[in-house]
Amino acid sequence: MEPTIRLEKVSTIYEGERRPAVRDISLILNENELIYVVGPNAAGKTTLLETINGLLSTSKGEVFVLGLNVRVRGKDVRREIGYVPQDFMVEPGEPYTALDVVLMGRYGKIGVLNKPDEYDLERATEAMRLMGVDELTNRPMGKLSGGQQQKVMIARALAKEPKILLLDEPFSNLDPDSREKVPALIGQIHEERSMTTIVVTHDVHQMLKRCRRVIVMNSGRIIADETPQKALAILERPTGSRAAELLT
Amino acid sequence: MIWLDLVIIQRALIGCLLAGLLTGLIGVFVVRMRLSAIGYSMSHGAFAGAALGVAASVNPLLTALSFSGATALLIGPVADKARLHADTVTSIAFPLNMALAFIFLTLSPQIGLSSEVASVLWGSIISMTNNDLVYMTALCASTVALIHFFWKELFAIMYDRKLAEADGINTKPFVYFIIFLVGLVVTLSLKLVGGILIFALLFNPASSALQFLHDMKKIVIVSPAIGSMTCVSGLMVSLVLDLPVGSCIVLVSTFIFGLSVLLSPKRRRKEVKQ
């Protein structure tokens, strides 16, 4: 059976850079798998997510998502992926309500020339209710707190009814209470909807509690693909020791 | 106060209403997609084209249309090819078009600032023909229809192009479409305000509407209304004070923008918070 996500020796290099942001990455994720990706800043975590959804083109190797080559069928792949980018904040005064933003998540899926209908609206309001932001429906996005905006962005990704969920630091602006509740909720929705989910985070505590598989990245490479406990042990070693061992 | 033929005034009024509506509507996308330099570039592209028309004794509208069309068609692909922001490429096209315009005007067989050259520079309501109004009406109708059909995609791109792309929307054709539309709108509005001042009409009404409203759907209705009102008021001021129409329209639109910044509830609430 074709894995949901398959990366074959993938490298992605940014325009003007000499060193790839992710290097020679091979990775397989099966249906309904939930993994956390951890690593220091500039480890290549965000680049990995944007390589998977095809927002960034690979300089080497191929990415297959849902059996489709992302290089060729990027648009079709992205219609099935719910993506929450890192630190996405809206300026105060932006003319978009929270509901606009959540509903917008479905636009790619709806297709050109089709208008959102009752079903789309129901999915959007359901996702907002799940994330506990249904009372903010008509509030301007820019007037919401950082944590509320982050929940709206997660609701936006869920409203799409994606087969794959890519979350880049989705809990960073949440208050302590939500930092416990939202990851648990993501785990629950992941189970219920059989989504393949990748969560990039710095929150080791959540990593230990919420998944069975952790990818540790450093300098653009995957240096470990382990259970959370083993991944934690690697992370707690002196900086670079495991990385140095694997890179030489 | 100047007295003009009633037909000329009627044409000017209708022209003002249509140009204000068009620039106000398309301006929302220019402002929200941060394509401001495109406004400058298009207007100066049209200006260079019109100057070529004057120099070559060809209908300036046609040459203006070709120049702004070519500029519009080239900006998007060149920006993508050079991996530069569209604003950067337009900033390169802007002085190029100006340089070409001055060369064409220098080569013009007409001496000094002839009426045709002046109408390209500053606009001239007297030179507005029935054909111009027909073109503008057709462009108005097709622009409104296209925006209605592709509103969903344009709305998402205006929010954030990268996110729209991440949702599976192919953003490129829509951005190119807006750039091309800007070229057409600018060219057809050139006779009213002139090549130098036209971009004020692209930014001021949309920026004024954004001071008051939180709903994008309302903004795309209010901005064209402000645009039309601005153009008609500017025309009236120009007729009463016997001043150039384009300049009066720009002064009125800047005044409305200043007023909306002062009265903006968004700004007031922010100040109260501070």
Side-chain angles (χ1 to χ4, degrees):
Chain A
M1 194 180 156
E2 179 72 24
T4 306
I5 296 170
R6 178 159 56 96
L7 278 76
E8 289 174 356
K9 292 187 182 288
V10 166
S11 295
T12 304
I13 189 162
Y14 284 100
E15 197 70 27
E17 297 280 329
R18 286 166 64 195
R19 233 176 72 167
V22 295
R23 285 191 280 177
D24 289 322
I25 287 193
S26 292
L27 178 69
I28 283 182
L29 260 91
N30 292 312
E31 197 184 327
N32 198 21
E33 208 172 347
L34 166 69
I35 67 163
Y36 271 57
V37 179
V38 294
N41 291 332
K45 304 183 295 290
T46 298
T47 310
L48 175 68
L49 293 192
E50 295 193 350
T51 302
I52 290 172
N53 69 8
L55 284 181
L56 293 172
S57 318
T58 57
S59 49
K60 217 178 84 185
E62 296 292 348
V63 181
F64 295 91
V65 176
L66 301 165
L68 303 172
N69 188 331
V70 172
R71 191 192 296 274
V72 186
R73 303 280 300 274
K75 263 199 320 284
D76 299 318
V77 164
R78 285 192 285 277
R79 285 182 186 139
E80 301 299 338
I81 296 178
Y83 177 53
V84 175
Q86 185 180 15
D87 290 333
F88 188 88
M89 284 295 139
V90 175
E91 293 288 315
E94 288 284 291
Y96 296 89
T97 65
L99 180 64
D100 285 337
V101 173
V102 176
L103 191 59
M104 224 183 270
R106 293 190 59 82
Y107 284 179
K109 206 162 189 166
I110 294 170
V112 181
L113 293 175
N114 296 323
K115 301 276 173 207
D117 58 17
E118 204 55 42
Y119 179 80
D120 298 304
L121 197 62
E122 273 170 26
R123 296 292 70 78
T125 44
E126 182 197 29
M128 291 187 83
R129 200 172 49 248
L130 269 171
M131 292 312 301
V133 286
D134 45 335
E135 285 178 2
L136 308 174
T137 301
N138 293 316
R139 290 277 308 277
M141 187 69 173
K143 302 243 170 195
L144 307 183
S145 69
Q148 287 171 325
Q149 286 197 29
Q150 208 153 32
K151 286 181 184 175
V152 170
M153 291 304 287
I154 299 172
R156 182 185 200 276
L158 293 175
K160 197 174 180 180
E161 299 180 291
K163 290 181 179 153
I164 297 163
L165 202 54
L166 304 179
L167 308 173
D168 196 353
E169 298 283 2
F171 318 127
S172 55
N173 289 314
L174 301 180
D175 57 66
D177 185 42
S178 299
R179 265 188 199 217
E180 280 302 315
K181 283 182 185 162
V182 173
L185 191 65
I186 299 281
Q188 186 191 324
I189 297 167
H190 153 81
E191 284 296 330
E192 285 170 5
R193 298 191 185 178
S194 303
M195 288 183 298
T196 304
T197 307
I198 303 181
V199 182
V200 165
T201 186
H202 277 108
D203 192 338
V204 177
H205 171 66
Q206 289 304 329
M207 168 195 93
L208 285 169
K209 277 168 61 176
R210 309 282 170 208
C211 67
R212 293 193 198 95
R213 184 181 170 195
V214 173
I215 301 279
V216 184
M217 290 189 75
N218 195 9
S219 305
R221 290 183 195 268
I222 292 178
I223 58 164
D225 186 347
E226 299 281 5
T227 60
Q229 286 71 23
K230 283 184 183 166
L232 182 65
I234 291 165
L235 287 168
E236 283 176 346
R237 279 180 205 168
T239 315
S241 60
R242 171 76 168 156
E245 179 193 318
L246 284 159
L247 293 175
T248 49
Chain B
M1 184 152 175
I2 56 165
W3 295 98
L4 292 170
D5 196 329
L6 187 64
V7 180
I8 293 176
I9 297 285
Q10 278 174 342
R11 269 204 297 259
L13 265 175
I14 298 168
C16 280
L17 280 169
L18 291 169
L21 195 143
L22 273 167
T23 50
L25 181 59
I26 207 72
V28 175
F29 299 94
V30 172
V31 170
R32 289 295 316 166
M33 290 182 184
R34 294 179 178 86
L35 300 173
S36 49
I38 283 177
Y40 300 102
S41 200
M42 288 294 109
S43 57
H44 292 91
F47 175 46
L52 174 65
V54 171
S57 302
V58 180
N59 182 358
L61 183 69
L62 286 177
T63 44
L65 206 60
S66 328
F67 258 67
S68 62
T71 310
L73 285 173
L74 284 173
I75 284 171
V78 170
D80 283 337
K81 193 86 182 154
R83 302 216 183 249
L84 290 168
H85 200 272
D87 262 10
T88 311
V89 177
T90 47
S91 303
I92 294 165
F94 162 66
L96 172 71
N97 280 326
M98 280 305 273
L100 287 172
F102 290 133
I103 288 171
F104 295 145
L105 289 177
T106 309
L107 296 174
S108 167
Q110 297 167 49
I111 302 156
L113 276 177
S114 69
S115 63
E116 214 166 355
V117 174
S119 82
V120 169
L121 278 169
W122 318 118
S124 160
I125 49 164
I126 301 165
S127 64
M128 197 159 249
T129 63
N130 285 339
N131 275 351
D132 293 329
L133 296 184
V134 172
Y135 299 147
M136 284 172 95
T137 309
L139 182 61
C140 227
S142 44
T143 303
V144 170
L146 287 167
I147 286 172
H148 172 75
F149 287 130
F150 299 120
W151 171 249
K152 180 168 95 295
E153 285 76 17
L154 294 169
F155 187 58
I157 295 167
M158 281 192 284
Y159 181 63
D160 189 89
R161 188 176 173 184
K162 190 178 169 186
L163 263 185
E165 196 72 46
D167 284 329
I169 295 171
N170 189 7
T171 62
K172 235 182 236 179
F174 294 104
V175 174
Y176 292 177
F177 157 70
I178 289 295
I179 293 174
F180 185 65
L181 220 48
V182 171
L184 285 178
V185 169
V186 164
T187 305
L188 291 181
S189 310
L190 209 62
K191 278 194 178 170
L192 193 72
V193 195
I196 306 286
L197 303 174
I198 185 74
F199 47 79
L201 272 182
L202 282 174
F203 309 131
N204 294 357
S207 305
S208 304
L210 277 161
Q211 297 300 314
F212 289 96
L213 299 164
H214 283 289
D215 185 340
M216 210 61 209
K217 286 178 197 121
K218 288 180 187 157
I219 288 169
V220 290
I221 295 169
V222 171
S223 174
I226 294 176
S228 290
M229 194 181 78
T230 300
C231 285
V232 172
S233 315
L235 174 68
M236 296 304 167
V237 172
S238 124
L239 292 176
V240 171
L241 301 178
D242 193 11
L243 291 170
V245 181
S247 306
C248 291
I249 290 175
V250 171
L251 286 179
V252 171
S253 82
T254 311
F255 174 74
I256 290 174
F257 172 69
L259 208 62
S260 52
V261 170
L262 281 176
L263 301 176
S264 166
K266 292 184 182 179
R267 192 166 164 268
R268 260 209 308 271
R269 270 179 222 146
K270 206 174 170 186
E271 278 171 357
V272 169
K273 258 188 191 173
Q274 281 166 354

